[in-house]
């Protein structure tokens, strides 16, 4: 009977802790998801950068002499090489950030509790094998082995929750700073990406779409060309999803650190889903 | 720029990037591009060269800003790695509980085999 009272008491007290650990786990999983989408966006942004850069070279080519062409090509190559170096380093940092989120997910997840519960249950079974009296024992209809498993899981869960809260107290300022910088980085890159895409699309409109329309007769594929061109506009506006995902990640962490019951996780997951949608096969 | 309200280097850079972005948007606008068709060869060449210079300056400034962010992220890395190690350590301690219990299980299984051999 005493064991039941203790077990119920611990379960009640740790119920709130378990819900909070679940929010940590969800935040960590979202962080891993964000990291993957971030990595793909860095590559997309470089693609757009190179395409725009090449177009700008073409626009200047006819107006420069040979020396001027060589100078301009060298300058723009140098600017791009520097950018490639920065993006490579940002990718590498993304991998470090990913390790953090993976470790947080492993601590916050229920696997350690489950492993301990299973081991405790087996232990109880082994003890039962040595003592018939113990093997027959039950608490309110539940075998002792199962009860011991449940109490062990709750105890391990409590240790986990305390470890998470300790981690938050010590590292909240670091993670907040990290995520604020992520947001600043994506804001800059998304702005740039949208400008690059606008210029490329303007060029396509002026050279591919407009000339056939100005002519006396339209080519048969012009309708499809126009439709594809206009639908691509959606992908450009979706680019903001990348910036929004970074913002929501930072906001979700602030909610976690501030003890928000809801934790702003639903908004974060939606933002990451939109970012993944943008990054998907349709994005260009 | 008064002493009561100093403009930071960051704000200056952002202001300059915004101006260059706006200038590039004007140079790429339909109005400007169409007007170039009526311009002289020399004016078209000057416009193209100017556009190139503005574009390179804009790109350089963006990279400068990105580089500053990259450096700040780098500075956080050592602490981030430490945080990660501590999380892994905490998880390892939890796994030890299951480990101890499994060790006892193995011992008890051995005792049972000794007490009641098949």
């Amino acid at each position: 009977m005493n064991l039941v009272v203790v077990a119920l008491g611990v379960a009640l007290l740790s119920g709130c802790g378990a819900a909070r650990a679940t929010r940590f786990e969800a935040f960590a999983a979202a962080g891993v998801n964000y990291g993957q989408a971030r990595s793909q966006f860095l590559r997309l942004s470089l693609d757009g950068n190179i395409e725009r850069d090449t177009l700008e070279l073409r626009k200047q080519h006819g107006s420069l002499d040979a020396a001027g062409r060589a100078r301009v090509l060298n300058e723009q190559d140098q600017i791009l090489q520097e950018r490639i170096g920065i993006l490579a380093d940002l990718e590498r940092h993304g991998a470090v950030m990913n390790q953090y989120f993976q470790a947080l997910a492993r601590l916050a997840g229920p696997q350690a509790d489950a492993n301990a519960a299973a081991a405790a249950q087996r232990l109880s079974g082994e003890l039962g094998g040595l003592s018939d009296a113990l093997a027959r024992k039950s608490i309110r209809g539940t075998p002792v082995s199962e009860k011991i498993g449940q109490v062990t899981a709750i105890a391990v869960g409590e240790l986990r929750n305390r470890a998470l809260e300790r981690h938050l107290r010590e590292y909240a300022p670091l993670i907040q700073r990290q995520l604020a910088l992520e947001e600043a980085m994506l804001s800059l890159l998304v702005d740039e990406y949208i400008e690059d895409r606008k210029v490329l699309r303007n060029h396509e409109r002026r050279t591919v779409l407009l000339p056939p329309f100005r002519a006396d007769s339209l080519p048969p594929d012009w309708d499809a060309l126009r439709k594809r061109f206009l639908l691509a506009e959606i992908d450009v506006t979706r680019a903001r999803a990348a910036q929004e995902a970074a913002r929501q990640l930072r906001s979700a962490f602030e909610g976690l650190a501030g003890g928000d019951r809801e934790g702003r996780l639903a908004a974060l997951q939606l933002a990451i889903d939109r970012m993944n949608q943008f990054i998907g096969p349709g994005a260009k | 720029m008064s002493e009561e309200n100093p403009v930071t280097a960051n704000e200056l850079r952002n202001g300059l990037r915004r101006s260059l972005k706006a200038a590039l948007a004007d140079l790429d606008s339909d109005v400007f591009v169409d007007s170039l068709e009526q311009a002289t060869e020399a004016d078209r060449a000057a416009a193209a060269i100017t556009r190139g210079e503005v574009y390179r300056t804009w790109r350089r400034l963006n990279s400068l800003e990105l580089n500053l962010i990259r450096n700040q992220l780098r500075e956080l890395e050592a602490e981030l790695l430490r945080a990660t190690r501590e999380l892994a350590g905490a998880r390892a301690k939890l796994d030890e509980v299951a480990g101890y219990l499994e060790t006892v299980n193995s011992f008890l299984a051995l005792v049972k085999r000794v007490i009641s051999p098949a």
Side-chain angles (χ1 to χ4, degrees):
Chain A
M1 183 62 184
N2 284 340
L3 181 60
V4 170
V5 168
V6 167
L8 280 174
V10 171
L12 274 171
L13 285 171
S14 40
C16 304
R20 190 146 160 77
T22 304
R23 285 199 289 275
F24 269 98
E25 192 189 5
F27 169 76
V32 169
N33 211 339
Y34 163 80
Q36 287 161 355
R38 168 201 192 269
S39 176
Q40 290 182 64
F41 179 75
L42 291 185
R43 278 195 284 281
L44 259 184
S45 109
L46 182 60
D47 274 350
N49 192 327
I50 293 171
E51 281 182 47
R52 161 87 184 269
D53 199 78
T54 306
L55 176 64
E56 295 294 342
L57 283 170
R58 281 189 166 279
K59 285 184 180 297
Q60 296 165 81
H61 186 265
S63 307
L64 295 163
D65 60 17
R69 287 170 192 162
R71 178 185 59 80
V72 149
L73 180 62
N74 283 341
E75 278 184 33
Q76 289 191 208
D77 277 355
Q78 211 172 1
I79 294 169
L80 257 179
Q81 290 298 343
E82 191 191 331
R83 177 60 67 92
I84 288 168
I86 295 171
L87 290 178
D89 208 15
L90 287 171
E91 272 264 30
R92 188 196 53 75
H93 181 82
V96 173
M97 199 173 60
N98 185 56
Q99 280 177 359
Y100 169 80
F101 283 121
Q102 300 266 19
L104 183 62
R106 274 195 297 274
L107 178 60
Q111 197 54 50
D113 314 15
N115 290 347
Q121 215 160 326
R122 275 194 294 279
L123 171 62
S124 187
E126 292 290 347
L127 286 169
L130 289 173
S131 156
D132 287 342
L134 186 58
R136 285 193 298 270
K137 203 80 176 161
S138 70
I139 300 171
R140 291 170 70 98
T142 307
V144 162
S145 64
E146 214 175 293
K147 272 289 175 227
I148 288 176
Q150 288 168 5
V151 172
T152 306
I154 288 166
V156 169
E158 260 311 292
L159 288 173
R160 178 202 56 214
N161 296 342
R162 275 187 231 157
L164 285 170
E165 294 300 335
R166 241 189 340 263
H167 172 79
L168 196 60
R169 274 196 305 276
E170 187 168 350
Y171 291 106
L174 163 73
I175 303 304
Q176 274 162 346
R177 181 91 187 108
Q178 165 76 37
L179 296 180
L181 287 168
E182 283 290 314
E183 193 182 338
M185 174 194 77
L186 277 184
S187 175
L188 188 154
L189 287 174
V190 164
D191 265 350
E192 210 185 46
Y193 176 85
I194 289 176
E195 289 309 303
D196 288 342
R197 283 291 150 206
K198 261 192 214 165
V199 166
L200 289 164
R201 284 171 51 71
N202 282 344
H203 178 74
E204 188 184 350
R205 183 168 53 80
R206 286 170 192 144
T207 57
V208 173
L209 213 57
L210 203 46
F213 193 72
R214 277 179 170 159
D216 285 342
S217 65
L218 282 169
D221 66 343
W222 190 84
D223 301 33
L225 263 175
R226 183 168 184 262
K227 183 174 176 181
R228 188 181 57 78
F229 178 82
L230 288 171
L231 287 177
E233 187 67 35
I234 298 174
D235 288 333
V236 175
T237 57
R238 272 188 195 157
R240 291 271 170 224
Q243 187 179 349
E244 180 61 13
R247 193 183 75 76
Q248 289 293 350
L249 191 64
R250 183 182 53 75
S251 171
F253 183 75
E254 281 170 4
L256 210 55
D260 253 14
R261 289 189 72 82
E262 191 265 324
R264 310 176 201 179
L265 288 166
L268 168 59
Q269 197 47 60
L270 187 61
I272 291 178
D273 287 346
R274 283 194 180 130
M275 186 177 177
N276 281 326
Q277 214 177 20
F278 162 67
I279 297 291
K284 186 66 185 146
Chain B
M1 188 165 71
S2 70
E3 280 188 9
E4 289 81 22
N5 186 20
V7 176
T8 63
N10 192 41
E11 284 165 347
L12 274 173
R13 274 196 311 274
N14 285 343
L16 191 48
R17 286 195 299 118
R18 273 195 304 272
S19 298
L20 290 168
K21 176 178 151 182
L24 281 170
D26 284 343
L27 290 167
D28 199 53
S29 67
D30 285 346
V31 168
F32 187 78
V33 167
D34 289 345
S35 73
L36 279 181
E37 285 179 11
Q38 316 303 321
T40 64
E41 186 63 40
D43 282 345
R44 279 203 293 276
I49 290 168
T50 304
R51 177 181 168 134
E53 294 293 345
V54 173
Y55 166 73
R56 282 188 292 280
T57 308
W58 174 72
R59 200 65 97 180
R60 277 193 189 101
L61 270 176
N62 281 346
S63 284
L64 178 66
E65 196 66 32
L66 201 60
N67 194 41
L68 287 170
I69 294 170
R70 182 262 298 259
N71 289 346
Q72 288 175 82
L73 283 171
R74 258 192 194 160
E75 281 167 17
L76 299 181
E77 251 174 52
E79 203 182 344
L80 191 60
L81 286 166
R82 190 168 60 247
T84 305
R85 276 195 303 271
E86 285 183 19
L87 285 169
R91 171 57 200 259
K93 281 201 167 66
L94 298 185
D95 287 339
E96 272 174 20
V97 173
Y100 291 143
L101 292 170
E102 289 297 355
T103 302
V104 174
N105 284 342
S106 304
F107 174 72
L108 286 174
L110 177 64
V111 164
K112 269 165 58 182
R113 279 203 299 277
V114 166
I115 291 173
S116 358

